[in-house]
Amino acid sequence: MPKYSLVIPVYNEQSNIPALYQRVSAVMDELDDRAELILIDDGSHDRTLELLRSLHDRDDRVVYLSLARNFGHQIAVTAGLNYVRGDVIIVLDGDLQDPPELIPDLLALWRQGYHVVYAQRTKRVREGWFKRLCAYTFYRILKQLANVELPTDTGDFCLMDRSVVDLLNQMPERNRYLRGLRAWVGFRQIAFKFDRDSRYAGSVKYTFAKSLGLAINGLVSFSIVPLRLSTYLGLFSAVLAIVMALLVLYWRVFTNSTLTGFATIAIAIFFIGAVQLISIGILGEYIGRIYEEVKHRPLYTLSEVGRKLGIVDSE
Ligand code: UDP
Ligand code: MG
């Protein structure tokens, strides 16, 4: 049984895999015990799976899983976590933005007794300003609203003790915001500050829509404050309406000015309409998730698994 398990999801990363394997295996060679490298192909359309197969043929430490279609990064990592055999697990991105050379430093903290070592980005100079601005604001809003202590500027790059991964594997939820779930379990957690590299090759696989989806997922999974927002807005509108009614009454009784104004009415209608639609939308986010959860579908489907010294099967 390997002692260390590295989990790396890859989606259309054919141009990164050779370099990734080279750097990761160099780090694995230096470790003091056996390690396994679990690569998850998240339904890639390029040569990713072929490359994974050939790595697996060449190197017994390489395990690969192939998801039957693209399930998204969080689910791909989840699938990998379901297959780990080590005592300690490290999750990295497949584009070399998370330097594998830091693994020994993460392990040093694990040996000191930490159950979770999450990598925290110090700067993101290598990413565009828009992405940085969105990420910066999102992490801070989430920190305010979340019902658990969620550290800012941390991604999925982390080390987790086996006990933490076992708990994550027991969590049945479909809408997985892993960095939140990881914080939720508790235990001894520590940040490890690092400078995030830029993508080695290929293009970003997290489109704006996927990032936004992840952000909404994080918010909805860890906070019910948005639901209260409609109550607050409702109360605010009610107060506004009463004040306006009193004002109109005052004008009618004590002055001889009459209220005219199509604009006022139009604005009021649009405002109330907007508040209602936004509230329904927020409700929808939660109800949609309830619906997804109650369906109890499996989290992912696998089309192929390659693992030596254990199960080797394929369909
Ligand atoms: N990824 C994945 N499935 C997806 C999208 C991304 O497995 O649907 C993987 C991708 O191959 C990479 C990691 O998730 O290893 C992070 O993606 P990316 O670098 O595109 O996003 P970033 O986090 O850098 O914005
Ligand atoms: Mg990346």
Side-chain angles (χ1 to χ4, degrees):
M1 281 292 178
K3 180 170 178 186
Y4 306 111
S5 297
L6 274 54
V7 172
I8 307 184
V10 280
Y11 176 49
N12 294 339
E13 301 285 12
Q14 60 177 15
S15 49
N16 284 313
I17 287 173
L20 176 72
Y21 174 71
Q22 202 197 347
R23 278 175 64 184
V24 170
S25 64
V27 172
M28 287 165 75
D29 292 340
E30 297 299 314
L31 295 174
D32 61 344
D33 213 319
R34 279 174 59 179
E36 65 178 348
L37 170 59
I38 303 179
L39 292 156
I40 307 98
D41 163 40
D42 187 12
S44 301
H45 307 298
D46 64 357
R47 291 183 54 244
T48 296
L49 181 57
E50 261 172 70
L51 294 173
L52 298 191
R53 282 193 196 114
S54 75
L55 286 181
H56 170 69
D57 285 341
R58 262 197 287 151
D59 186 341
D60 285 354
R61 301 173 299 177
V62 175
V63 175
Y64 72 91
L65 310 175
S66 181
L67 302 189
R69 63 169 172 85
N70 180 244
F71 279 89
H73 176 236
Q74 302 290 302
I75 298 293
V77 174
T78 303
L81 295 180
N82 289 160
Y83 275 78
V84 297
R85 292 172 292 181
D87 297 335
V88 54
I89 292 92
I90 296 126
V91 180
L92 312 159
D93 271 1
D95 57 358
L96 288 167
Q97 280 198 283
D98 308 328
E101 292 74 22
L102 297 178
I103 291 175
D105 297 331
L106 303 180
L107 285 171
L109 287 162
W110 175 66
R111 292 198 188 92
Q112 285 175 28
Y114 289 101
H115 298 90
V116 173
V117 184
Y118 54 87
Q120 193 167 36
R121 319 182 245 249
T122 43
K123 45 184 171 180
R124 289 170 163 259
V125 276
R126 296 179 185 89
E127 283 164 323
W129 68 268
F130 184 67
K131 185 166 183 168
R132 273 185 291 155
L133 181 72
C134 291
Y136 184 89
T137 348
F138 165 69
Y139 283 120
R140 272 142 197 91
I141 292 177
L142 185 62
K143 193 183 167 70
Q144 291 304 314
L145 299 186
N147 52 14
V148 286
E149 185 67 38
L150 294 181
T152 54
D153 304 319
T154 57
D156 292 305
F157 180 22
C158 69
L159 170 149
M160 289 179 281
D161 186 78
R162 176 84 222 186
S163 52
V164 170
V165 172
D166 285 342
L167 287 169
L168 287 183
N169 286 342
Q170 281 171 28
M171 295 185 186
E173 55 213 90
R174 263 115 267 274
N175 292 291
R176 300 179 89 79
Y177 184 67
L178 285 171
R179 48 198 89 159
L181 298 175
R182 185 182 73 205
W184 183 89
V185 294
F187 294 98
R188 291 187 69 197
Q189 309 216 355
I190 192 172
F192 176 84
K193 297 227 187 308
F194 85 115
D195 194 3
R196 198 156 200 234
D197 285 340
S198 45
R199 200 168 230 285
Y200 178 76
S203 58
V204 182
K205 304 300 170 323
Y206 253 99
T207 53
F208 182 71
K210 274 188 182 175
S211 299
L212 189 67
L214 183 70
I216 295 178
N217 233 338
L219 212 65
V220 174
S221 303
F222 286 92
S223 175
I224 55 159
V225 175
L227 282 175
R228 269 181 216 142
L229 205 69
S230 30
T231 317
Y232 295 148
L233 280 172
L235 286 174
F236 172 73
S237 306
V239 170
L240 209 69
I242 292 168
V243 170
M244 267 165 27
L246 291 174
L247 217 63
V248 171
L249 202 68
Y250 173 82
W251 279 329
R252 185 77 185 78
V253 177
F254 296 104
T255 68
N256 44 19
S257 71
T258 45
L259 253 198
T260 54
F262 164 74
T264 328
I265 293 170
I267 290 166
I269 289 173
F270 275 104
F271 177 72
I272 299 297
V275 167
Q276 286 176 346
L277 288 177
I278 291 169
S279 307
I280 294 171
I282 293 172
L283 267 183
E285 289 292 336
Y286 286 86
I287 293 174
R289 276 165 184 75
I290 297 171
Y291 183 48
E292 299 238 298
E293 299 295 339
V294 298
K295 278 190 284 193
H296 277 303
R297 285 194 191 143
L299 282 176
Y300 53 85
T301 49
L302 280 177
S303 58
E304 197 174 319
V305 177
R307 180 155 80 171
K308 298 221 178 88
L309 319 158
I311 323 155
V312 181
D313 58 23
S314 64
E315 285 171 14

